[in-house]
Amino acid sequence: MLQLVIVALMLLPYTCGQNPAIQVLLTNKGLQYGKHVGAGWIQDMLEHVTLPDIQGNFNTLIGTIQYTLSGLKITKCDFPEPNVEFSETFSGFKTTITGLNAALTGGWAIKYHIIHDGGSFDMAILGVDVTSVVSLGRNADGHLSVNSVSCDGEVQDVNIQLYGGSSWIINPFMNYIKGHIIDEIKSNICPAVQKSVEELESRLQAMNVSYAVNQVLSLELPLTRLPVFSPSNLNLGLKGEFYSIQTHAEPPFQSKPFTMPDLPGYMLSAGVSEFSLNSAAYGYFSAKKLQILITDSMIPKLFPFHLNTSSMGPYVPQLPKLLPGLLMNLNVYATEAPMFSVQSGFVNLTVQAAVKAAAIESNGSNVPLFTLKAVVMLGGKMWIADGRMKGSVMLNNFTLTLASTEVGPFKTDNLEKMCKNGIELFGLPQVNKKLAEGMMLPRMKHVTPVNSVLTVEEGFITISSDAQVLDVL
Ligand SMILES: *[C@@H]1O[C@H](CO)[C@@H](O)[C@H](O)[C@H]1NC(C)=O
Ligand SMILES: *[C@@H]1O[C@H](CO)[C@@H](O)[C@H](O)[C@H]1NC(C)=O
Ligand SMILES: *[C@@H]1O[C@H](CO)[C@@H](O)[C@H](O)[C@H]1NC(C)=O
Ligand SMILES: *[C@@H]1O[C@H](CO)[C@@H](O)[C@H](O)[C@H]1NC(C)=O
Ligand SMILES: *[C@@H]1O[C@H](CO)[C@@H](O)[C@H](O)[C@H]1NC(C)=O
């Protein structure tokens, strides 16, 4: 009873834990491609393995003879394409290999009292069948874990031909000891499967679930729930939350659940939620990276607006009289974390900022003038072309209001109009140029994404892709 309670308590934080902000979907198409690539690797690998020695005894009229088959090397292996499928029942994969045949060579030795004899042999192992079921899980720190659930190995037949020594005497006995050799080989199959599952498990446990994205942000990707299997796919729910490396502050909003569409036509899909994007924006905000000091030298010479109190007449009429001929600067900083809103084809962004204007005295000291509140709403589109993620943005709305002033009240309409023109004529074209060039899709060492598409759904972005594994051997 107590154990039940402990187990229930241990499960509690995960079952009602955070919704995954990134979901990764492996489809049957991806599984079959992975299996095909994997089978090729196994075939190549098998031709380089040395199998464990086989030892035993056989009884003859003259007594018991000990034999050893050692240095068993596979010289040829006919590795049939395995059958791999998702198993909902075992929350994992079921792999079946039927009719594997292999040719081996090695050395034989026998011992009978003080008589030692030996030579070489050729062996054919015929009709090996292996059925293995592994299940995927998640451990306490969110690593994916793999575990062998069941394994069954069968061997139909072996043929052995000995050479050298007194092999001509022993060859006739081989039929008697064949059964033992078949049993020995059979008993080695599942431990070998178990060992490779354990190796995979230790690799999974060594993987990082947190990555530094750049100098400001880290991305945490532990599993937030158990892997979900259906007959047609595997869905991994990852935390997918960005943090400021410096503050590691938790944002004041939470991730909402979302349902990935079935995308059987692509090998892999990843769903990135609005929360994931917003946690990145919050990371920058909490690290105080969203601020900039704008000086007159940063404004294009051709632009009919300059940060000089004497030319501010049309916007702040009293300024040229109060403090004539002084350069100004604008301290612009986000007052709230920028918020992405992802829906029906658009990735929109709202930025709320304060603009503190100051005049610069000839001795270098700043005289505060006024503070404006700016709300910028951008509408953006994203897509994938030529293997690159691209986008475009437009200005949906821009408002400027006076928050406080040291130089008396003024209307912000003209200033708002001028800033809006500045954003549309100078700011956005530069941003759009960068976005049109695009960004390479993330890729692994030997895997290239192909046929990738990006769609913007209600609350999340889906990137679906096929993969091409480059020849690594
Ligand atoms: C895993 O993370 C640690 C610490 O953050 C880092 O030192 C290590 O290089 C990372 N390993 C990989 C494979 O990324
Ligand atoms: C500011 O503008 C006035 C009038 O156009 C000009 O005389 C003055 O030199 C400017 N100040 C600076 C520091 O550029
Ligand atoms: C700079 O000059 C202004 C007036 O011209 C004066 O009020 C201020 O104290 C001076 N600041 C410094 C740091 O000298
Ligand atoms: C997002 O931006 C697009 C493009 O400007 C606009 O049509 C759409 O109405 C915006 N959506 C929201 C929710 O603001
Ligand atoms: C822009 O935002 C303001 C304030 O939220 C709103 O009153 C105005 O209607 C918006 N303008 C447009 C074109 O959406």
Side-chain angles (χ1 to χ4, degrees):
M1 190 59 209
L2 183 63
Q3 277 158 322
L4 255 181
V5 174
I6 293 170
V7 169
L9 284 178
M10 278 168 56
L11 289 175
L12 211 57
Y14 312 128
T15 44
C16 26
Q18 200 173 354
N19 291 310
I22 293 181
Q23 290 183 44
V24 177
L25 202 69
L26 172 71
T27 63
N28 194 44
K29 185 181 180 187
L31 181 66
Q32 297 313 318
Y33 180 69
K35 172 201 76 176
H36 182 73
V37 172
W41 285 344
I42 293 172
Q43 162 101 46
D44 290 333
M45 198 182 68
L46 279 178
E47 297 188 356
H48 298 100
V49 299
T50 300
L51 301 174
D53 293 357
I54 297 172
Q55 281 181 331
N57 303 315
F58 60 98
N59 295 318
T60 64
L61 289 174
I62 52 166
T64 303
I65 298 176
Q66 268 182 34
Y67 72 90
T68 307
L69 300 177
S70 59
L72 284 85
K73 267 193 140 31
I74 296 174
T75 51
K76 192 166 184 329
C77 178
D78 165 20
F79 187 75
E81 183 101 10
N83 180 42
V84 182
E85 60 194 47
F86 294 113
S87 166
E88 238 179 321
T89 323
F90 294 105
S91 195
F93 304 102
K94 183 177 175 187
T95 308
T96 317
I97 299 167
T98 316
L100 183 151
N101 300 321
L104 293 83
T105 60
W108 63 271
I110 60 160
K111 228 163 89 180
Y112 172 68
H113 295 293
I114 57 161
I115 302 169
H116 290 241
D117 195 7
S120 63
F121 71 86
D122 285 334
M123 175 165 27
I125 305 179
L126 304 167
V128 178
D129 297 343
V130 185
T131 303
S132 149
V133 177
V134 296
S135 76
L136 294 189
R138 124 185 227 290
N139 65 17
D141 59 1
H143 277 98
L144 186 65
S145 70
V146 60
N147 178 33
S148 175
V149 177
S150 71
C151 174
D152 182 40
E154 291 296 333
V155 178
Q156 300 302 320
D157 201 6
V158 299
N159 284 330
I160 306 169
Q161 184 69 43
L162 306 183
Y163 304 102
S166 44
S167 54
W168 58 278
I169 303 178
I170 304 158
N171 267 330
F173 290 100
M174 290 321 291
N175 268 338
Y176 295 101
I177 62 168
K178 220 162 86 168
H180 177 250
I181 293 173
I182 290 177
D183 286 347
E184 279 287 311
I185 294 171
K186 225 177 92 170
S187 71
N188 275 316
I189 295 174
C190 286
V193 170
Q194 175 72 29
K195 197 174 152 224
S196 59
V197 171
E198 279 166 12
E199 274 171 15
L200 179 59
E201 168 71 359
S202 64
R203 279 192 193 197
L204 287 173
Q205 298 320 309
M207 271 172 71
N208 279 347
V209 288
S210 172
Y211 302 87
V213 178
N214 52 31
Q215 284 177 339
V216 180
L217 292 186
S218 67
L219 172 61
E220 297 197 353
L221 288 172
L223 293 170
T224 58
R225 53 158 202 224
L226 287 169
V228 180
F229 282 87
S230 81
S232 59
N233 61 45
L234 156 65
N235 184 316
L236 298 177
L238 309 174
K239 189 176 179 190
E241 184 167 356
F242 290 91
Y243 286 96
S244 149
I245 292 171
Q246 190 194 327
T247 67
H248 206 271
E250 201 66 55
F253 45 83
Q254 286 187 335
S255 88
K256 292 190 205 107
F258 66 98
T259 308
M260 285 278 286
D262 254 347
L263 294 153
Y266 296 94
M267 293 179 188
L268 267 178
S269 298
V272 179
S273 72
E274 200 172 87
F275 172 83
S276 198
L277 300 179
N278 282 327
S279 70
Y282 185 78
Y284 276 106
F285 175 72
S286 85
K288 300 206 160 43
K289 295 290 173 190
L290 300 177
Q291 50 183 319
I292 183 172
L293 184 71
I294 299 176
T295 60
D296 190 52
S297 60
M298 291 158 78
I299 294 175
K301 286 280 168 284
L302 292 174
F303 195 58
F305 173 80
H306 283 279
L307 287 174
N308 177 330
T309 49
S310 291
S311 57
M312 289 295 282
Y315 313 107
V316 190
Q318 62 273 43
L319 203 52
K321 286 163 230 155
L322 282 170
L323 291 156
L326 295 183
L327 281 182
M328 294 164 63
N329 62 30
L330 304 176
N331 187 12
V332 183
Y333 57 94
T335 50
E336 310 260 346
M339 277 296 215
F340 286 97
S341 144
V342 178
Q343 48 193 205
S344 54
F346 290 103
V347 178
N348 295 4
L349 179 66
T350 303
V351 184
Q352 299 193 45
V355 182
K356 271 188 187 302
I360 310 163
E361 296 271 15
S362 49
N363 61 11
S365 71
N366 282 355
V367 181
L369 301 175
F370 52 86
T371 304
L372 302 166
K373 179 179 187 262
V375 181
V376 188
M377 293 167 94
L378 300 168
K381 284 193 173 188
M382 288 171 82
W383 65 92
I384 290 175
D386 317 319
R388 299 174 79 88
M389 191 140 56
K390 301 184 176 184
S392 72
V393 289
M394 57 182 282
L395 189 64
N396 281 350
N397 196 354
F398 178 80
T399 54
L400 212 51
T401 47
L402 190 61
S404 68
T405 172
E406 284 83 4
V407 293
F410 58 92
K411 285 186 134 188
T412 54
D413 306 27
N414 287 345
L415 211 47
E416 184 180 283
K417 229 174 270 165
M418 187 275 305
C419 288
K420 210 172 152 192
N421 286 339
I423 294 171
E424 282 179 331
L425 293 174
F426 293 92
L428 292 184
Q430 283 193 31
V431 174
N432 279 327
K433 201 173 151 221
K434 279 257 162 64
L435 290 174
E437 282 166 15
M439 195 176 76
M440 284 288 267
L441 289 173
R443 53 190 62 206
M444 283 179 278
K445 228 180 197 168
H446 302 295
V447 187
T448 313
V450 288
N451 307 326
S452 315
V453 293
L454 185 151
T455 55
V456 179
E457 322 261 345
E458 206 65 27
F460 64 101
I461 295 167
T462 307
I463 299 169
S464 304
S465 187
D466 284 341
Q468 190 161 16
V469 175
L470 307 172
D471 198 3
V472 292
L473 297 164

